[in-house]
Every structure is written in C-alpha cells, then in structure tokens.
Amino acid sequence: MSEKRKPLFGFVGKLPSGTALGNSGKTRCPLCMGLFKAPRLLPCLHTVCTTCLEQLEPFSVVDIRGGDSDTSSEGSIFQELKPPSLQPQIGILCPVCDAQVDLPMGGVKALTIDHLAMNDVMLESLHGEGQGLVCDLCSDREVEKRCQTCKANLCHFCCQAHRRQKKTTYHTMVDLKDLKGYSRIGKPILCPAHPAEELRLFCELCDRPVCRDCVVGEHREHPCDFTSNVIHKHGDSVRELLKGTQPHVEALEEALAQIKGLSSALQERVEAVAADVRTFSEGYIKAIEEHRDKLLKQLEDIRVQKENSLQLQKAQLEQLLADMRTGVEFTEHLLTSGSDLEILITKGVVVERLTKLNKVEYNVHPGVNDKICFSPQQKAGRCHGYEVYGAINTKEVDPAKCVLQGEDLHRAREKQTASFTLLCRDAAGESMGRGGDSVQVAVIPKDKKDSPVRTLVQDNKDGTYYVSYTPKEPGVYTVLVCIKEQHVQGSPFTVTVRKRHRPHPGVFHCCTFCSSGGQKTARCACGGTMPGGYLGCGHGHKGHPGRPHWSCCGKFAEKSECTWTGGQNTPRSLLRTVAL
C-alpha cells in the first residue's frame, strides 16, 4: 500500500474546520480530541477512534490488476493478453498525515485494534487525568476494584456478585487505587471468532494470534505455539527492523535541524542584506535629493540671469524708443507747423540729435534665449559617494556650426570600415561638451538609392560622435549627416569607394640586408644591391633609396596600397625577407 497514492476517482471526506491534525498524545483521538474509544491502528501507525473513522467520507479506488498468464510456457510471450480486471476498493485518508488507507472487506471495524492505546487510556483514567472508568459488566457504575484473574474492572455491586458466584469466588480482587503503580492494566484480548476465548497462541503459518478453539478448528495441523514461546523470535525481527529504521530517524532529525539552522541563518542574512539595501537606498535618495535641489537652484540662477539680461535690454530699448519718438514727433511738428525761419533756426539742433540717434546700435532680437534643457543621462559627478546623473544645459546645438572631421570623409574601400567624427557646436561656435543630441546619418549608393548602407553612430558623451559604416561595393556614395533634421556644415557630401585595399606581401624595412638577416639571395623592389654578391639593397650602397620602404613594391608610405603585380618574371626572393 502506497501512502502517497491518490484516488483515481471518488470523493474525499473533509475534516471539520478547526480540527487538530497533529499527534494529540497516546490517549486522545486527533479528531474528537477525547479519550480513545475502540481505537483502530491505521497502516500509517496513527490511531483514531472507530466512530471517528466511520464518520470520514470514503472514496472509491480502482485497483487495476492484469489477468492471469502462464509464464512457464516458452511461447507465453506470444499468447493473447487478457484485459485487466477492475477491482473497486473503498479507502479513506488518515486524518493526521493524509495517507491513503485501503479498508479491508469488513470496513473500519476490520482494522487492527490498538490495545496499547486502550491500556494507556485506562492508566490515564486510573490516575485521575481522564474520565472515570465504568464497570466492564454493567457499564453503568464507576469502577472500584479489579479482578486480577479475569482482568475485569468491576463496580462495588458487580464485585460482590462476582464473589458470590462459585466459579469466581476465589478470584483475587484488588482496589483500583492500588493499581496506580502498574504499567499495564488492560483487559485480556479475546478472539474475534470465539469471544469467550482469550488469544494465547500464535499460528506461524497464518502469522497471527489464535485461541484454543481456533487451533482445533480452522488452524488444525497449523504450526502453533504459545505467544510467550514465539515472542522472542518475532520480537527480535521487529527489533532488527527498528534498528535499521532508527538511523533514518536520527538522519532526518539532523537534516531538519540543519534546515532549521539554515533557515535562521537565511533569515539573519536576509535582514542584514535588507539593512544594507535600506542604508544604500536612504543614502542614494539623500544624494539624489541633494542633487535635485542643486539642479533646481542652478535652474533658478539661470532664470534670474536671463531675466536680468532681458530686463536690462528692455529698459535700454524702451529708453531708445522714447528718445526716437521724441525726436520724430518734434521734427514732424517742426516741419508741419514751423515757419521757414523757425525751421532754419532749429535745423542744427534737430539734425545733430537725429544723426546721433541714428548712429545708436541696438539689437532687434532678444539678447538671451529660452533654450534650457535637462539631460537625465548625463553624468553629474558624485554626491556623498554616489554617482548621480542629470545636468541642466543652456547650450543648443547649431547644425550650421557643426563640423565633420576624419581621413575617411571622401574616400573609402569596399568591405572595409570607414569612419569620421562629428563635432557638435552651439551658435557661438563653442563645443557642446555633452552628448544626447539626435544625430541621423545616411550613406546612400548613387546607383542604388533604395539600398542604404548600415551606419553606426556612437555618442562619445563629450559633444563628439563617432560615425562608421562599411560599403559593400565600390562606387560613389552620398553621405547625409543631420541634427534635428537639419544638415550639418558640409552635408551632404560624396565619398568615392574604391576596390579593396591590396595589402603588402613584403616587409617595410630599412634595407634588405637588415630585414633578411644578411641573406645574399634576398632582393628588394627598390633595385639596390651590395658588393660581395648581395642581390638586395643596403645602407649607403648602390640603388638604396635612403629611407624605409616596402620590399615588395618599393613604396615609401607604410600605410599604402601595394602596387606589386606579382608577375612570373619577378624574383620570388623579393618576398623572403623578415622583419627583425
């Protein structure tokens, strides 16, 4: 029987809410919490009252068993298999551990009686810790004495009647209070098939206790012996099994202790880490709040500065406007209302004033702008040891002032990465000094405008952007660089992509003698030779160009394309030089 097997179908009875499902001791039922009454021992070794078990809702379990087959025949594997038979069986769940209990044919009452629990109940009642014991004969009055011969608990009335009977006159009677030192005062265990007979024998063949009537009846010719004679053998086997089980108990207890210790250590560790997290978070929040206040103060200072500049420009323009209006109004009035003589008399003053006003320089546009932005991704240093982000910027990128730099602006090679740098500036021509601008770059082939080249824009966070792309084919390409959908200075421009750069198969050396290690047969494309049969060039000798060059083609630029054609007439020794 598997304790963890689940029912295939049916209904499982649920216990009432609030019912304790733990081990309630040796004398109390885990369901009704009262003293055991006809306790039954379940296969999981938990004990429950018979009436409590009967109140549990049973469920049906289908036991699938294969049909009989003759495995002794050599050809049995080819025989037709019989369909499995379905044998329904009734089961319940243990109310303590939820183990499945398959009930025998007789139901709950066919389960093993826990006589040890019954003895413990009687001991507890005897010691006054439970309900009073009732007489075994009349089941009505409380027990006063116990017949040691019959092992029956009797009340005062039944005790007198017991002594009056001739058959039980000489039975030993003991006061119940004198039995408090006893460890066992249970009733004799009677045979279920012959209730008048006590189980004193044990059938080895059937492996169960029997009475005298069983031996002469159902168990005739079975090997039987008194329980006192066989208890040693069977007790020893149980002890051996117990000896093998006890280490598992100790191992499980140790494992649970380790789990408990680890759980405590885990809780302590979690609390310590939580404290670190809170400390870090509180410090970080404090740093962010301080940085926030600093940014807001900086923003307010910028506002005041710009507002003061605007107010000063406003006052200057208002004063200039008032002077202009005064001059215009006076002059118009003079010209319209004054006589010829009056105009000529005041002409000098008016001309001087108007000339002076006309020479005054002023700006028709506001001296400051409202360009203030917040860059949350920009690093702002450290505050109380924490890295903080976010900066207020008053500069605005001016696409017309942005410039492109790099050697690959107008030339590139197929299947080789070309790059250039975009330097962003504001309207005053000063570097932005920060990143975060919206930069769009497109590289479009002239002949395939619908197949742009994939580009990569890397923000250097300092006002510069690294742009790279890899053209797949030679030809003319158009490069467009825009910021905020406006072309930067020099955009768009064209790039001529040539065929892939031919690498140098030789070495870039000072002379053949040095790079070859003094080999006489080593040659150089420069055509120089040395006395003594050296076919390659040497310092200060005939044909040496006087500066470092490539041995394969003779070019002086280290970063250049090789022009060596590799013809059949070219000596192979040109390439057999090595760099020392």
Side-chain angles (χ1 to χ4, degrees), residues 360-411:
V360 175
E361 296 181 357
Y362 58 91
N363 189 2
V364 296
H365 301 289
V368 296
N369 54 40
D370 60 348
K371 303 301 182 182
I372 304 175
C373 64
F374 175 65
S375 302
Q377 302 298 330
Q378 184 175 344
K379 290 185 178 181
R382 305 184 74 85
C383 181
H384 296 295
Y386 296 93
E387 187 78 28
V388 292
Y389 293 82
I392 294 177
N393 298 300
T394 57
K395 289 183 178 182
E396 184 182 17
V397 64
D398 186 356
K401 299 291 185 179
C402 298
V403 295
L404 300 171
Q405 300 174 346
E407 298 180 357
D408 298 336
L409 277 177
H410 300 286
R411 62 183 182 183

Short mmCIF file of all heavy atoms in Angstrom, two decimals, residues 360-411:
data_model
loop_
_atom_site.label_atom_id
_atom_site.label_comp_id
_atom_site.label_asym_id
_atom_site.label_seq_id
_atom_site.Cartn_x
_atom_site.Cartn_y
_atom_site.Cartn_z
N VAL A 360 22.99 105.19 -33.03
CA VAL A 360 22.91 104.27 -31.86
C VAL A 360 22.68 102.84 -32.36
O VAL A 360 21.76 102.58 -33.14
CB VAL A 360 21.79 104.70 -30.91
CG1 VAL A 360 21.64 103.68 -29.77
CG2 VAL A 360 22.06 106.08 -30.35
N GLU A 361 23.51 101.89 -31.89
CA GLU A 361 23.37 100.49 -32.27
C GLU A 361 22.51 99.75 -31.24
O GLU A 361 22.63 99.96 -30.04
CB GLU A 361 24.75 99.82 -32.35
CG GLU A 361 25.64 100.40 -33.43
CD GLU A 361 26.99 99.69 -33.49
OE1 GLU A 361 27.21 98.80 -32.63
OE2 GLU A 361 27.80 100.03 -34.38
N TYR A 362 21.65 98.93 -31.75
CA TYR A 362 20.77 98.13 -30.87
C TYR A 362 20.44 96.82 -31.57
O TYR A 362 20.54 96.70 -32.78
CB TYR A 362 19.49 98.91 -30.52
CG TYR A 362 18.68 99.33 -31.72
CD1 TYR A 362 17.66 98.51 -32.22
CD2 TYR A 362 18.92 100.55 -32.37
CE1 TYR A 362 16.92 98.88 -33.32
CE2 TYR A 362 18.18 100.93 -33.46
CZ TYR A 362 17.19 100.09 -33.95
OH TYR A 362 16.44 100.46 -35.05
N ASN A 363 20.05 95.86 -30.76
CA ASN A 363 19.73 94.52 -31.25
C ASN A 363 18.23 94.33 -31.24
O ASN A 363 17.59 94.49 -30.19
CB ASN A 363 20.40 93.45 -30.38
CG ASN A 363 20.28 92.05 -30.98
OD1 ASN A 363 19.74 91.87 -32.06
ND2 ASN A 363 20.82 91.07 -30.28
N VAL A 364 17.66 94.04 -32.43
CA VAL A 364 16.21 93.87 -32.51
C VAL A 364 15.77 92.51 -31.97
O VAL A 364 14.57 92.27 -31.77
CB VAL A 364 15.73 94.02 -33.96
CG1 VAL A 364 16.01 95.44 -34.45
CG2 VAL A 364 16.41 93.00 -34.87
N HIS A 365 16.72 91.58 -31.72
CA HIS A 365 16.40 90.27 -31.19
C HIS A 365 16.78 90.22 -29.70
O HIS A 365 17.69 90.91 -29.26
CB HIS A 365 17.17 89.18 -31.94
CG HIS A 365 16.87 89.16 -33.42
ND1 HIS A 365 15.67 88.74 -33.93
CD2 HIS A 365 17.65 89.53 -34.49
CE1 HIS A 365 15.69 88.83 -35.24
NE2 HIS A 365 16.89 89.31 -35.62
N PRO A 366 16.07 89.42 -28.94
CA PRO A 366 16.40 89.30 -27.51
C PRO A 366 17.85 88.84 -27.33
O PRO A 366 18.36 88.01 -28.08
CB PRO A 366 15.42 88.25 -26.99
CG PRO A 366 14.27 88.30 -27.95
CD PRO A 366 14.86 88.63 -29.28
N GLY A 367 18.50 89.44 -26.35
CA GLY A 367 19.90 89.12 -26.10
C GLY A 367 20.12 87.73 -25.54
O GLY A 367 21.24 87.20 -25.58
N VAL A 368 19.09 87.10 -25.00
CA VAL A 368 19.17 85.74 -24.48
C VAL A 368 18.04 84.92 -25.09
O VAL A 368 17.12 85.46 -25.71
CB VAL A 368 19.08 85.72 -22.94
CG1 VAL A 368 20.26 86.43 -22.32
CG2 VAL A 368 17.77 86.34 -22.46
N ASN A 369 18.13 83.63 -24.94
CA ASN A 369 17.07 82.75 -25.44
C ASN A 369 16.51 81.91 -24.30
O ASN A 369 16.99 81.98 -23.16
CB ASN A 369 17.61 81.85 -26.56
CG ASN A 369 18.84 81.06 -26.13
OD1 ASN A 369 18.90 80.58 -25.00
ND2 ASN A 369 19.82 80.95 -27.02
N ASP A 370 15.50 81.16 -24.62
CA ASP A 370 14.87 80.29 -23.61
C ASP A 370 15.32 78.85 -23.75
O ASP A 370 14.63 77.92 -23.31
CB ASP A 370 13.34 80.38 -23.73
CG ASP A 370 12.86 79.93 -25.10
OD1 ASP A 370 13.71 79.77 -26.00
OD2 ASP A 370 11.64 79.72 -25.26
N LYS A 371 16.48 78.66 -24.36
CA LYS A 371 16.98 77.31 -24.57
C LYS A 371 17.58 76.76 -23.28
O LYS A 371 18.74 76.97 -22.96
CB LYS A 371 18.02 77.29 -25.69
CG LYS A 371 17.52 77.84 -27.02
CD LYS A 371 16.32 77.05 -27.54
CE LYS A 371 15.85 77.59 -28.88
NZ LYS A 371 14.65 76.87 -29.37
N ILE A 372 16.76 76.06 -22.53
CA ILE A 372 17.19 75.39 -21.30
C ILE A 372 16.66 73.95 -21.37
O ILE A 372 15.47 73.74 -21.58
CB ILE A 372 16.64 76.08 -20.03
CG1 ILE A 372 17.05 77.56 -20.02
CG2 ILE A 372 17.14 75.37 -18.78
CD1 ILE A 372 16.45 78.31 -18.85
N CYS A 373 17.54 73.01 -21.22
CA CYS A 373 17.12 71.61 -21.30
C CYS A 373 17.76 70.81 -20.17
O CYS A 373 18.79 71.20 -19.62
CB CYS A 373 17.47 71.00 -22.65
SG CYS A 373 19.23 70.89 -23.00
N PHE A 374 17.13 69.69 -19.88
CA PHE A 374 17.62 68.79 -18.84
C PHE A 374 18.04 67.49 -19.49
O PHE A 374 17.27 66.87 -20.24
CB PHE A 374 16.53 68.53 -17.80
CG PHE A 374 16.91 67.52 -16.75
CD1 PHE A 374 17.96 67.76 -15.86
CD2 PHE A 374 16.23 66.32 -16.65
CE1 PHE A 374 18.31 66.83 -14.91
CE2 PHE A 374 16.57 65.38 -15.70
CZ PHE A 374 17.62 65.64 -14.82
N SER A 375 19.28 67.07 -19.25
CA SER A 375 19.82 65.83 -19.81
C SER A 375 19.92 64.79 -18.70
O SER A 375 20.89 64.79 -17.92
CB SER A 375 21.20 66.08 -20.43
OG SER A 375 21.11 67.07 -21.44
N PRO A 376 18.92 63.91 -18.56
CA PRO A 376 18.92 62.95 -17.44
C PRO A 376 20.01 61.90 -17.54
O PRO A 376 20.39 61.32 -16.52
CB PRO A 376 17.52 62.32 -17.51
CG PRO A 376 17.09 62.50 -18.93
CD PRO A 376 17.73 63.78 -19.40
N GLN A 377 20.52 61.60 -18.73
CA GLN A 377 21.52 60.55 -18.88
C GLN A 377 22.95 61.06 -18.69
O GLN A 377 23.88 60.26 -18.65
CB GLN A 377 21.39 59.92 -20.27
CG GLN A 377 20.02 59.33 -20.56
CD GLN A 377 19.66 58.21 -19.61
OE1 GLN A 377 20.54 57.50 -19.12
NE2 GLN A 377 18.38 58.04 -19.34
N GLN A 378 23.11 62.36 -18.59
CA GLN A 378 24.46 62.92 -18.48
C GLN A 378 24.99 62.76 -17.07
O GLN A 378 24.31 63.04 -16.08
CB GLN A 378 24.44 64.41 -18.87
CG GLN A 378 25.81 65.05 -18.88
CD GLN A 378 25.75 66.49 -19.39
OE1 GLN A 378 24.76 66.88 -19.99
NE2 GLN A 378 26.80 67.25 -19.15
N LYS A 379 26.23 62.26 -16.96
CA LYS A 379 26.85 62.10 -15.65
C LYS A 379 27.09 63.46 -15.01
O LYS A 379 27.50 64.41 -15.67
CB LYS A 379 28.17 61.35 -15.77
CG LYS A 379 28.01 59.88 -16.15
CD LYS A 379 29.35 59.16 -16.14
CE LYS A 379 29.19 57.69 -16.46
NZ LYS A 379 30.48 56.97 -16.44
N ALA A 380 26.83 63.53 -13.72
CA ALA A 380 26.97 64.79 -12.99
C ALA A 380 27.92 64.65 -11.81
O ALA A 380 27.82 65.40 -10.83
CB ALA A 380 25.60 65.28 -12.52
N GLY A 381 28.83 63.68 -11.87
CA GLY A 381 29.79 63.53 -10.78
C GLY A 381 29.24 62.67 -9.66
O GLY A 381 28.33 61.88 -9.83
N ARG A 382 29.80 62.84 -8.47
CA ARG A 382 29.42 62.05 -7.31
C ARG A 382 28.92 62.97 -6.20
O ARG A 382 29.40 64.08 -6.04
CB ARG A 382 30.60 61.23 -6.80
CG ARG A 382 31.24 60.34 -7.86
CD ARG A 382 32.34 59.49 -7.29
NE ARG A 382 31.80 58.39 -6.48
CZ ARG A 382 31.41 57.23 -6.98
NH1 ARG A 382 31.50 57.00 -8.28
NH2 ARG A 382 30.95 56.27 -6.19
N CYS A 383 27.96 62.46 -5.47
CA CYS A 383 27.39 63.20 -4.34
C CYS A 383 27.31 62.25 -3.17
O CYS A 383 26.61 61.23 -3.22
CB CYS A 383 26.00 63.74 -4.70
SG CYS A 383 25.21 64.71 -3.39
N HIS A 384 28.05 62.54 -2.11
CA HIS A 384 28.13 61.67 -0.93
C HIS A 384 28.58 60.26 -1.32
O HIS A 384 28.14 59.26 -0.74
CB HIS A 384 26.79 61.60 -0.21
CG HIS A 384 26.34 62.91 0.37
ND1 HIS A 384 27.02 63.56 1.39
CD2 HIS A 384 25.29 63.71 0.05
CE1 HIS A 384 26.39 64.69 1.68
NE2 HIS A 384 25.35 64.81 0.87
N GLY A 385 29.46 60.17 -2.31
CA GLY A 385 29.98 58.89 -2.73
C GLY A 385 29.13 58.15 -3.74
O GLY A 385 29.48 57.06 -4.17
N TYR A 386 27.99 58.70 -4.13
CA TYR A 386 27.10 58.06 -5.08
C TYR A 386 27.19 58.76 -6.43
O TYR A 386 27.24 59.98 -6.50
CB TYR A 386 25.65 58.10 -4.60
CG TYR A 386 25.41 57.34 -3.32
CD1 TYR A 386 25.47 57.98 -2.08
CD2 TYR A 386 25.10 55.99 -3.33
CE1 TYR A 386 25.24 57.29 -0.90
CE2 TYR A 386 24.87 55.28 -2.15
CZ TYR A 386 24.94 55.94 -0.95
OH TYR A 386 24.71 55.26 0.21
N GLU A 387 27.20 57.95 -7.49
CA GLU A 387 27.20 58.51 -8.85
C GLU A 387 25.80 59.03 -9.16
O GLU A 387 24.81 58.31 -9.03
CB GLU A 387 27.57 57.42 -9.86
CG GLU A 387 27.76 57.95 -11.27
CD GLU A 387 29.09 58.64 -11.47
OE1 GLU A 387 30.05 58.28 -10.76
OE2 GLU A 387 29.15 59.54 -12.31
N VAL A 388 25.73 60.31 -9.55
CA VAL A 388 24.44 60.92 -9.86
C VAL A 388 24.43 61.35 -11.32
O VAL A 388 25.47 61.59 -11.93
CB VAL A 388 24.15 62.13 -8.94
CG1 VAL A 388 23.93 61.69 -7.51
CG2 VAL A 388 25.27 63.15 -9.01
N TYR A 389 23.24 61.41 -11.85
CA TYR A 389 23.04 61.74 -13.25
C TYR A 389 22.06 62.90 -13.37
O TYR A 389 21.24 63.15 -12.48
CB TYR A 389 22.50 60.54 -14.02
CG TYR A 389 23.48 59.40 -14.13
CD1 TYR A 389 23.63 58.49 -13.08
CD2 TYR A 389 24.26 59.22 -15.26
CE1 TYR A 389 24.52 57.43 -13.17
CE2 TYR A 389 25.17 58.17 -15.35
CZ TYR A 389 25.29 57.28 -14.31
OH TYR A 389 26.18 56.25 -14.39
N GLY A 390 22.16 63.58 -14.50
CA GLY A 390 21.25 64.67 -14.79
C GLY A 390 21.95 66.01 -14.71
O GLY A 390 22.60 66.33 -13.71
N ALA A 391 21.88 66.79 -15.79
CA ALA A 391 22.51 68.10 -15.84
C ALA A 391 21.62 69.05 -16.61
O ALA A 391 20.87 68.65 -17.51
CB ALA A 391 23.90 68.03 -16.48
N ILE A 392 21.67 70.33 -16.23
CA ILE A 392 20.92 71.38 -16.92
C ILE A 392 21.86 72.06 -17.91
O ILE A 392 22.94 72.51 -17.54
CB ILE A 392 20.35 72.39 -15.92
CG1 ILE A 392 19.31 71.71 -15.03
CG2 ILE A 392 19.74 73.58 -16.64
CD1 ILE A 392 18.75 72.59 -13.97
N ASN A 393 21.45 72.11 -19.14
CA ASN A 393 22.26 72.70 -20.20
C ASN A 393 21.50 73.86 -20.85
O ASN A 393 20.30 73.75 -21.11
CB ASN A 393 22.60 71.65 -21.27
CG ASN A 393 23.41 70.50 -20.71
OD1 ASN A 393 24.50 70.70 -20.20
ND2 ASN A 393 22.86 69.29 -20.80
N THR A 394 22.24 74.92 -21.07
CA THR A 394 21.65 76.10 -21.74
C THR A 394 22.15 76.23 -23.17
O THR A 394 21.67 77.07 -23.91
CB THR A 394 22.00 77.38 -20.95
OG1 THR A 394 23.43 77.48 -20.84
CG2 THR A 394 21.39 77.33 -19.57
N LYS A 395 23.10 75.36 -23.53
CA LYS A 395 23.60 75.39 -24.90
C LYS A 395 22.67 74.60 -25.81
O LYS A 395 22.12 73.58 -25.43
CB LYS A 395 25.01 74.79 -24.98
CG LYS A 395 26.10 75.65 -24.35
CD LYS A 395 27.46 74.99 -24.56
CE LYS A 395 28.58 75.83 -23.98
NZ LYS A 395 29.91 75.21 -24.23
N GLU A 396 22.54 75.07 -27.04
CA GLU A 396 21.76 74.36 -28.04
C GLU A 396 22.63 74.17 -29.27
O GLU A 396 23.29 75.11 -29.74
CB GLU A 396 20.50 75.12 -28.40
CG GLU A 396 19.62 74.35 -29.37
CD GLU A 396 18.38 75.14 -29.76
OE1 GLU A 396 18.38 76.35 -29.55
OE2 GLU A 396 17.43 74.53 -30.27
N VAL A 397 22.62 72.94 -29.76
CA VAL A 397 23.45 72.65 -30.92
C VAL A 397 22.95 73.41 -32.14
O VAL A 397 21.73 73.55 -32.36
CB VAL A 397 23.47 71.13 -31.18
CG1 VAL A 397 22.09 70.61 -31.54
CG2 VAL A 397 24.48 70.79 -32.27
N ASP A 398 23.89 73.95 -32.90
CA ASP A 398 23.59 74.66 -34.14
C ASP A 398 24.14 73.83 -35.28
O ASP A 398 25.35 73.75 -35.48
CB ASP A 398 24.23 76.05 -34.13
CG ASP A 398 23.83 76.89 -35.34
OD1 ASP A 398 23.11 76.36 -36.22
OD2 ASP A 398 24.23 78.07 -35.41
N PRO A 399 23.26 73.19 -36.08
CA PRO A 399 23.75 72.33 -37.16
C PRO A 399 24.68 73.06 -38.12
O PRO A 399 25.63 72.45 -38.65
CB PRO A 399 22.46 71.87 -37.85
CG PRO A 399 21.40 71.97 -36.80
CD PRO A 399 21.79 73.15 -35.97
N ALA A 400 24.46 74.35 -38.34
CA ALA A 400 25.31 75.08 -39.28
C ALA A 400 26.72 75.27 -38.76
O ALA A 400 27.65 75.53 -39.54
CB ALA A 400 24.68 76.44 -39.58
N LYS A 401 26.91 75.13 -37.44
CA LYS A 401 28.24 75.30 -36.84
C LYS A 401 28.95 73.96 -36.61
O LYS A 401 30.12 73.94 -36.25
CB LYS A 401 28.11 76.03 -35.49
CG LYS A 401 27.52 77.43 -35.61
CD LYS A 401 28.48 78.39 -36.30
CE LYS A 401 27.91 79.81 -36.31
NZ LYS A 401 28.84 80.76 -36.96
N CYS A 402 28.24 72.86 -36.78
CA CYS A 402 28.82 71.53 -36.56
C CYS A 402 29.72 71.17 -37.74
O CYS A 402 29.40 71.46 -38.89
CB CYS A 402 27.74 70.48 -36.39
SG CYS A 402 26.67 70.78 -34.95
N VAL A 403 30.86 70.52 -37.44
CA VAL A 403 31.82 70.19 -38.48
C VAL A 403 32.11 68.70 -38.46
O VAL A 403 31.92 68.01 -37.45
CB VAL A 403 33.13 70.98 -38.28
CG1 VAL A 403 32.89 72.46 -38.47
CG2 VAL A 403 33.74 70.69 -36.92
N LEU A 404 32.59 68.21 -39.61
CA LEU A 404 32.95 66.81 -39.78
C LEU A 404 34.46 66.70 -39.91
O LEU A 404 35.09 67.50 -40.61
CB LEU A 404 32.27 66.22 -41.02
CG LEU A 404 30.73 66.27 -41.00
CD1 LEU A 404 30.18 65.87 -42.36
CD2 LEU A 404 30.19 65.35 -39.92
N GLN A 405 35.03 65.70 -39.25
CA GLN A 405 36.47 65.51 -39.27
C GLN A 405 36.79 64.05 -39.51
O GLN A 405 36.00 63.16 -39.17
CB GLN A 405 37.11 65.95 -37.93
CG GLN A 405 36.87 67.40 -37.57
CD GLN A 405 37.40 67.73 -36.19
OE1 GLN A 405 37.70 66.84 -35.41
NE2 GLN A 405 37.51 69.02 -35.90
N GLY A 406 37.96 63.80 -40.14
CA GLY A 406 38.40 62.43 -40.35
C GLY A 406 39.01 62.22 -41.72
O GLY A 406 38.72 62.94 -42.68
N GLU A 407 39.88 61.20 -41.82
CA GLU A 407 40.55 60.90 -43.08
C GLU A 407 39.64 60.22 -44.08
O GLU A 407 39.91 60.22 -45.28
CB GLU A 407 41.78 60.01 -42.82
CG GLU A 407 42.84 60.67 -41.95
CD GLU A 407 44.02 59.75 -41.72
OE1 GLU A 407 43.95 58.59 -42.21
OE2 GLU A 407 45.01 60.17 -41.09
N ASP A 408 38.55 59.59 -43.59
CA ASP A 408 37.67 58.82 -44.48
C ASP A 408 36.45 59.59 -44.92
O ASP A 408 35.42 59.00 -45.29
CB ASP A 408 37.23 57.52 -43.77
CG ASP A 408 38.40 56.63 -43.43
OD1 ASP A 408 39.44 56.75 -44.09
OD2 ASP A 408 38.26 55.82 -42.49
N LEU A 409 36.52 60.94 -44.87
CA LEU A 409 35.35 61.72 -45.25
C LEU A 409 35.01 61.53 -46.72
O LEU A 409 33.83 61.42 -47.08
CB LEU A 409 35.60 63.21 -44.96
CG LEU A 409 35.33 63.67 -43.52
CD1 LEU A 409 35.69 65.13 -43.35
CD2 LEU A 409 33.88 63.43 -43.15
N HIS A 410 35.99 61.52 -47.57
CA HIS A 410 35.72 61.49 -49.00
C HIS A 410 36.32 60.27 -49.69
O HIS A 410 36.33 60.23 -50.92
CB HIS A 410 36.26 62.77 -49.65
CG HIS A 410 35.62 64.01 -49.08
ND1 HIS A 410 34.33 64.39 -49.36
CD2 HIS A 410 36.12 64.94 -48.23
CE1 HIS A 410 34.04 65.52 -48.74
NE2 HIS A 410 35.12 65.87 -48.03
N ARG A 411 36.85 59.31 -48.94
CA ARG A 411 37.41 58.13 -49.56
C ARG A 411 37.17 56.92 -48.65
O ARG A 411 37.11 57.05 -47.42
CB ARG A 411 38.90 58.29 -49.82
CG ARG A 411 39.72 58.50 -48.56
CD ARG A 411 41.18 58.72 -48.88
NE ARG A 411 41.96 58.88 -47.66
CZ ARG A 411 43.27 59.14 -47.66
NH1 ARG A 411 43.92 59.26 -48.80
NH2 ARG A 411 43.92 59.26 -46.51
#
